[in-house]
């Protein structure tokens, strides 16, 4: 379902079923760039204490791997909410408009979300041509952003949940994502199945949250067919050689940002 595409040391993960449906997409890795996080890192966020020139060059390389050199990328200033923005509200370069999901149906441009442990989710509707890019950290998951995005696609484009396809990209796995009691309590108040989302790995002093499992459950509750949900199962915290991880790298200085994109040809 997922494959790595590599060109000049830049590797991008692509969800093949979405690609075959006419929705070019990609989940970036950290390799093959020009940013010092450390050397030769593919940081794709303008806000990560990197030079503008580095980010522009990294984005150029990223788009080349996706065979979409002429596509622009629209992003948001992410604030860990369930705020969903229309495509034209998002920004082409510096992210100013706030929100955590972008929906649209226009060709030739990507909707994108930044992550460095949070869960990226891409949605595609082959019947209407609509698509969405969603940033779902634990707060966004708690706020049911994925379910809100599906509902918004229905309102704006007439999307039917049973027609949608979804791809979940690299994120911190439940075996690594330690949380405090206050997070557990919030999930318990919001979800009757909350206990299914918490783990206590052997040797752990605190419980861990499986954000990926939470978003998979929300996609199912929103009406998506299980066979149309593609789960990459890449863990950012265990593979810092391949991905940026805020939780793993925070003590070590600036942290780059991964970018997950979807568009329509």
């Amino acid at each position: 379902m997922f494959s790595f595409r590599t060109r000049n040391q830049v590797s991008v993960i692509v969800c093949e079923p979405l690609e075959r449906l006419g929705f070019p997409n990609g989940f970036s890795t950290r390799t093959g760039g020009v940013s010092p996080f450390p050397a030769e890192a593919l940081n794709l966020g303008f806000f990560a204490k990197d030079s503008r020139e580095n980010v522009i060059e990294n984005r150029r390389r990223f788009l080349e791997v996706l065979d979409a050199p002429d596509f622009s990328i629209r992003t948001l200033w992410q604030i860990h909410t369930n705020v969903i923005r229309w495509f034209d509200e998002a920004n082409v370069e510096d992210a100013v408009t706030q929100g955590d999901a972008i929906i649209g149906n226009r060709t030739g441009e990507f909707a994108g979300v930044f992550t460095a442990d949070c869960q990226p989710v891409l949605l595609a509707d082959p019947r209407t041509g609509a698509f969405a890019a969603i940033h779902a950290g634990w707060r966004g998951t708690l706020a049911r952003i994925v379910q809100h995005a599906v509902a918004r696609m229905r309102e704006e484009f007439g999307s039917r949940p049973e027609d949608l396809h979804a791809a979940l990209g690299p994120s911190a796995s439940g075996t690594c994502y330690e949380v405090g009691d206050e997070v557990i309590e919030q999930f318990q108040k919001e979800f009757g199945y909350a206990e299914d989302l918490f783990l206590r790995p052997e040797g752990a002093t605190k419980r861990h949250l499986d954000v990926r499992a939470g978003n998979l459950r929300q996609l199912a509750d929103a009406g998506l067919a299980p066979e149309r949900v593609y789960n990459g199962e890449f863990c950012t915290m265990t593979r810092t050689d391949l991905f940026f991880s805020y939780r793993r790298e925070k003590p070590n200085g600036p942290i780059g940002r991964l970018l997950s994109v979807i568009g329509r040809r």
Side-chain angles (χ1 to χ4, degrees):
M1 285 186 251
F2 291 83
S3 65
F4 280 86
R5 296 187 186 173
T6 303
R7 184 178 300 174
N8 296 325
Q9 298 184 315
V10 176
S11 290
V12 179
I13 300 168
V14 173
C15 179
E16 298 290 350
L18 296 190
E19 183 85 11
R20 289 193 293 270
L21 291 168
F23 295 90
N25 68 92
F27 302 95
S28 75
T29 67
R30 71 185 299 159
T31 64
V34 296
S35 299
F37 297 152
E40 300 181 351
L42 193 79
N43 167 52
L44 296 173
F46 283 110
F47 51 85
K49 297 184 180 180
D50 200 356
S51 75
R52 186 176 191 81
E53 293 74 20
N54 285 349
V55 178
I56 290 172
E57 172 60 18
N58 288 341
R59 290 190 178 191
R60 185 192 67 78
R61 296 184 184 193
F62 175 66
L63 291 172
E64 275 196 347
V65 176
L66 295 177
D67 294 321
D70 296 328
F71 274 51
S72 58
I73 302 172
R74 292 186 177 267
T75 61
L76 299 169
W77 185 267
Q78 295 167 190
I79 52 175
H80 298 275
T81 63
N82 61 7
V83 173
I84 298 162
R85 297 292 187 182
W86 176 255
F87 203 74
D88 287 341
E89 295 179 288
N91 312 111
V92 175
E93 289 193 4
D94 295 307
V96 177
T97 304
Q98 295 184 338
D100 289 278
I102 304 170
I103 61 170
N105 63 351
R106 199 158 65 218
T107 60
E109 292 187 272
F110 281 127
V113 290
F114 301 109
T115 58
D117 283 334
C118 293
Q119 180 67 65
V121 181
L122 305 179
L123 299 178
D125 182 354
R127 186 177 66 85
T128 67
F131 55 86
I134 306 165
H135 163 249
W138 75 259
R139 292 179 180 86
T141 303
L142 179 67
R144 301 176 186 263
I145 187 169
V146 164
Q147 288 176 275
H148 284 288
V150 172
R152 184 74 180 275
M153 290 177 71
R154 179 186 294 176
E155 293 170 6
E156 298 287 349
F157 307 110
S159 295
R160 301 179 305 213
E162 61 268 25
D163 294 327
L164 297 179
H165 293 247
L168 283 74
S171 66
S173 66
T175 57
C176 299
Y177 199 82
E178 183 181 278
V179 294
D181 291 341
E182 71 284 355
V183 175
I184 296 171
E185 290 171 2
Q186 291 180 70
F187 272 80
Q188 289 172 335
K189 290 177 182 177
E190 184 65 27
F191 304 105
Y193 54 83
E195 287 304 311
D196 296 338
L197 306 182
F198 291 100
L199 313 171
R200 191 184 291 276
E202 185 176 351
T205 58
K206 292 185 177 181
R207 297 178 75 184
H208 290 201
L209 173 62
D210 193 337
V211 172
R212 182 181 299 271
N215 284 284
L216 288 169
R217 177 63 181 264
Q218 289 185 35
L219 289 166
D221 289 348
L224 273 73
E227 65 271 17
R228 294 185 174 187
V229 177
Y230 315 111
N231 181 7
E233 298 185 340
F234 302 99
C235 178
T236 52
M237 292 183 69
T238 58
R239 290 298 308 273
T240 52
D241 62 315
L242 193 58
F243 306 112
F244 297 115
S245 172
Y246 184 84
R247 288 195 164 207
R248 287 281 191 243
E249 301 180 78
K250 185 178 180 181
N252 302 323
I255 301 155
R257 293 297 187 273
L258 306 169
L259 182 61
S260 303
V261 300
I262 184 169
R264 182 176 162 222
R265 294 200 187 276

